[in-house]
Amino acid sequence: MIEIDRVSKRYGDAAVVDDVSLTIPAGGVVAIVGPNGAGKSTLLSIVGRLIKADAGRVRIDDLDVATTPGRELARRLSVMRQENHVVARLTVRDLIAFGRFPHNRGRPNRDDADRVAEAIAFVGLTAEADRFLDQLSGGQRQRAFVAMTLAQDADYALFDEPLNNLDIHHAVALMRLFRRMGEQPGKTVVIVLHDLNVAATYADRVVVLKNGRVAGDGPPAEVIDQRLLSEVFRVDGDVLEIDGRRVITVAR
Ligand SMILES: Nc1ncnc2c1ncn2[C@@H]1O[C@H](COP(=O)(O)OP(=O)(O)OP(=O)(O)O)[C@@H](O)[C@H]1O
Ligand SMILES: [Mg+2]
């Protein structure tokens, strides 16, 4: 279980994460949605200890994120950030192998190599595995960073906008993979998404953030509605239901 307990983060006068409490039980796929600047990445970065909260506490099962040694935390929780700096002279395989570091401390064995190859295959980069990162297209590079996080094989995998730059084929393949992961015992996937139709199709639960606060939380059929479109996202549109799934169309 991820327990976010009264977490806040301010930059100057702005409370970008404002007293957020959220419990994410083990298992399933959770989508986090919300407008630009709502605090999604900041919250994810706090959970992954990439940045420090001003107040509140995060626990991952029995571990307090603030005090758990990095290596132990990295086996339990992985975070793929929204922006990734590209180290040009690194190959796809080398990048993805970094994901195994918490397991092998830089001394990879056969199992690590297998898992790296598996992650490369999952994201369809086998043919590009020995290319440098600056020799990839934007979507291929995004898939390489996703694969690094997959290779880490943590119980809780957090992805900040993993579908950025992906074509529909790779987006669907990745969302299906996230679903399969979320259905494995003890595995939980948390994904920041902008496409509400993708969230409605693949997530078990949708958490809405607005102005640093939780503005909605529940199954897609409860959360994705007219009010979400108009009040949270300020768009004019319709919410339809097709095959029991919410589908959004916007006015032009
Ligand atoms: N280091 C920083 N210093 C000052 N303000 C920051 C900093 N990082 C983020 N912010 C501000 O905090 C707010 C939340 O940012 P955050 O990146 O968490 O939003 P987000 O919900 O992920 O948005 P997006 O959908 O655009 O990725 C924004 O208003 C942003 O400008
Ligand atoms: Mg963000």
Side-chain angles (χ1 to χ4, degrees), residues 94-106:
D94 291 342
L95 174 80
I96 296 169
F98 278 134
R100 298 302 302 162
F101 196 85
H103 299 274
N104 61 31
R105 296 184 195 233

Side-chain angles (χ1 to χ4, degrees), residues 9-12 14-17 32-45 51 82-83 160-161 192-194 209 212:
K9 177 77 186 175
R10 305 183 71 87
Y11 289 113
V16 301
V17 175
I32 300 181
V33 305
N36 290 144
K40 306 178 297 295
S41 296
T42 306
L43 185 64
L44 231 61
S45 297
I51 61 175
Q82 186 172 354
E83 310 284 348
D160 198 346
E161 301 197 28
V192 175
L193 288 173
H194 277 301
L209 281 189

Side-chain angles (χ1 to χ4, degrees), residues 58-114:
V58 180
R59 296 181 65 85
I60 312 289
D61 298 331
D62 51 324
L63 306 178
D64 187 328
V65 163
T67 55
T68 303
R71 194 163 159 262
E72 197 176 341
L73 191 64
R75 284 190 303 226
R76 205 71 75 87
L77 178 96
S78 59
V79 184
M80 191 203 83
R81 309 181 75 160
Q82 186 172 354
E83 310 284 348
N84 291 287
H85 293 288
V86 173
V87 181
R89 294 287 105 180
L90 198 63
T91 67
V92 171
R93 195 187 307 281
D94 291 342
L95 174 80
I96 296 169
F98 278 134
R100 298 302 302 162
F101 196 85
H103 299 274
N104 61 31
R105 296 184 195 233
R107 293 162 169 260
N109 61 26
R110 187 60 192 270
D111 182 50
D112 293 305
D114 286 349

